[in-house]
Amino acid sequence: MSWAERLFSWTGSGVPNAGTAVGVAPAVQAYSVENLKREMPAFMAGGYANKTGRSVTEHSAMANATFGRAVRLIASTVGMLPLNLMSRAADGTIAKAAGHPVHRLLRTAPNAAQTPTEFKAYMQGRALLYGDAYAYKVPGVKGVQALWPLDPLRVTAERSESDFGLVWKYQPRKGQARTFGAGELLHLRSPWSRDGLTGEGLLALGAEVLGLADAVDESAASILAKAANPGGLLQVPNGLSAEAYARLKQQWNEQFDGSANAGKWIVGEEGMEGKPFPASGREAESVAQRKLQVEEIARLTGIPRPLLMVDDTSWGSGIEQLGLFLITYCLMPWFVAWEEAVARDLLSERERETHYAKFNEAALLRGSLKDQAEFLAKALGGPGATGFMKPNEAREKMDMNPEPWGEQPGWLQGDGDATQV
């Protein structure tokens, strides 16, 4: 869509400001001259405005190695983790609802083009960057038969004035706009929201951080590309002749221009003497500024620094704690958002009494085989040692088939009984 199309088709609730996506806000309002001066460059670029004057777009943000790593880590982790639909029987027993249509969507095939991993990773990525992810629920004879993702930048959420229900207006790339009513979309929303209807994405929340990081990177790249950082002065006692100056200029352009030629020596003439400039703190400041941007992006995304490949932090034996930190303070809010969105949008009110969606986050904390063996030994127990897990449950944790003898708890066996796992 061109900038002119965005300009004349824009609808939204309020004038976009710094950190606001241009062209996707919800009601039309008049612009002041100052608003136009500040917002028009970002509006025409289709990004998010910030104080650096640079437009932060998805492309520019993901080109930042640290931010791109953080977004991909969260999206791919959510995508790979199993999301099961569980059922709770009247006697309290819990099992996977393998026969339910929603379980098939979550674990087998959400649609004809995506695997569950691809679908969840895409939805998570949209929700991370833009605050919202939407999927159209294709109706079928036995309930929802497919979930097809929609571009969140083409969806506008509105509240009905009659019953305060939510409706969504979707503008496809081709064709007429379509309005979806309550119950027609799966809506994954960021935990942070300014209006309670739509979420706030990292591109909007981090527009200032990402804009500054982009400016710092471009400045460093420009210096390296042009080698515009003189290291000293070439001085001659009586000035250079025209011939000597021409030879020096040719030598400089051919052999010393560019960062790849740094450190080479110059052949001087007519008493030329080199006087290097004293070292400045400019290089150290540039490195420090780039490290600060890594810190800021770590705060923005909630990813622990070592998982952003920052090498000045010791991993040591704390790798398990890093995984726990990642789950507790970064991924858990998203796990809950997914589970509640599935319950709200894919289950009926009656089904919600006995069914619920659940991520298997324990898959991230399995640890080494030695750690797993020690855990299972304590969980199984044995004669004189109380446990809480039956052998078949332990075998399921290790992706092993159940055995007929595996339903007898180890702590109920006698000393003479043969214990198998």
Side-chain angles (χ1 to χ4, degrees):
M1 184 181 293
S2 68
W3 71 268
E5 289 174 322
R6 289 200 306 272
L7 178 63
F8 292 110
S9 65
W10 175 55
T11 57
S13 95
V15 178
N17 48 36
T20 298
V22 185
V24 295
V28 173
Q29 284 191 3
Y31 270 102
S32 68
V33 174
E34 290 303 315
N35 281 334
L36 285 172
K37 288 181 179 179
R38 184 180 69 247
E39 304 300 337
M40 187 56 71
F43 189 96
M44 295 178 67
Y48 294 79
N50 56 81
K51 294 176 183 177
T52 65
R54 311 176 67 84
S55 176
V56 175
T57 65
E58 178 180 346
H59 182 269
S60 68
M62 292 300 290
N64 181 292
T66 306
F67 184 77
R69 159 71 179 172
V71 171
R72 291 193 303 272
L73 178 62
I74 297 174
S76 61
T77 301
V78 171
M80 75 175 184
L81 282 181
L83 177 58
N84 297 304
L85 184 68
M86 311 298 293
S87 63
R88 183 184 294 105
D91 61 358
T93 57
I94 297 174
K96 295 178 182 177
H100 198 287
V102 172
H103 190 272
R104 179 187 61 82
L105 294 174
L106 299 177
R107 291 304 309 272
T108 305
N111 56 61
Q114 292 177 303
T115 66
T117 296
E118 293 167 344
F119 173 77
K120 287 181 292 180
Y122 174 83
M123 294 282 286
Q124 184 62 52
R126 298 297 90 187
L128 278 170
L129 295 177
Y130 298 107
D132 299 281
Y134 302 93
Y136 173 59
K137 296 158 42 178
V138 180
V141 177
K142 296 183 179 180
V144 181
Q145 68 175 12
L147 294 170
W148 282 101
L150 303 177
D151 184 353
L153 294 181
R154 296 180 174 274
V155 179
T156 303
E158 296 182 0
R159 190 184 296 279
S160 172
E161 296 182 359
S162 58
D163 59 0
F164 292 94
L166 280 178
V167 294
W168 293 272
K169 293 185 177 180
Y170 174 62
Q171 177 60 62
R173 294 183 182 275
K174 296 181 179 179
Q176 298 295 320
R178 179 173 178 180
T179 299
F180 294 107
E184 290 190 87
L185 298 182
L186 168 64
H187 181 196
L188 176 65
R189 182 166 50 215
S190 168
W192 173 253
S193 173
R194 289 193 297 178
D195 58 8
L197 304 181
T198 57
E200 197 81 357
L202 293 180
L203 292 181
L205 292 173
E208 298 295 342
V209 172
L210 295 170
L212 181 59
D214 193 21
V216 170
D217 285 348
E218 184 179 47
S219 176
S222 177
I223 292 175
L224 291 174
K226 299 180 180 300
N229 188 16
L233 175 69
L234 297 176
Q235 189 173 27
V236 292
N238 299 314
L240 283 176
S241 64
E243 294 80 3
Y245 176 77
R247 285 192 295 270
L248 176 62
K249 183 177 180 181
Q250 181 181 5
Q251 179 186 189
W252 189 278
N253 290 336
E254 292 178 355
Q255 301 182 31
F256 304 102
D257 191 20
S259 58
N261 294 316
K264 290 185 177 180
W265 285 74
I266 296 173
V267 178
E269 299 183 60
E270 301 182 5
M272 182 182 295
E273 182 181 357
K275 293 186 177 181
F277 292 147
S280 69
R282 183 165 35 182
E283 293 83 0
E285 284 184 19
S286 177
V287 172
Q289 184 64 35
R290 299 194 74 186
K291 286 186 175 181
L292 176 61
Q293 298 310 313
V294 174
E295 297 278 0
E296 294 286 81
I297 291 173
R299 295 187 184 100
L300 175 67
T301 60
I303 299 292
R305 283 164 40 92
L307 299 184
L308 294 175
M309 304 306 174
V310 178
D311 60 2
D312 59 356
T313 301
S314 175
W315 290 46
S317 60
I319 184 66
E320 184 177 347
Q321 294 303 314
L322 281 176
L324 184 61
F325 183 100
L326 176 68
I327 291 175
T328 304
Y329 298 106
C330 178
L331 297 179
M332 189 59 71
W334 284 110
F335 291 162
V336 175
W338 269 95
E339 292 163 359
E340 292 181 347
V342 169
R344 179 195 62 216
D345 297 333
L346 298 182
L347 298 177
S348 65
E349 184 174 354
R350 183 172 182 178
E351 287 176 325
R352 287 195 287 270
E353 297 177 0
T354 56
H355 292 74
Y356 62 95
K358 179 65 177 175
F359 269 103
N360 182 19
E361 65 270 14
L364 293 175
L365 299 174
R366 286 183 176 178
S368 66
L369 290 175
K370 179 182 176 182
D371 294 336
Q372 294 182 64
E374 292 177 354
F375 166 77
L376 291 176
K378 294 179 180 179
L380 289 169
T386 303
F388 57 87
M389 187 179 290
K390 294 185 292 186
N392 275 344
E393 293 173 327
R395 293 177 66 84
E396 183 181 3
K397 291 285 185 183
M398 302 299 293
D399 295 323
M400 301 172 70
N401 293 326
E403 294 288 350
W405 45 262
E407 292 302 312
Q408 183 181 10
W411 62 88
L412 296 181
Q413 298 177 6
D415 292 334
D417 294 339
T419 303
Q420 297 174 294
V421 175

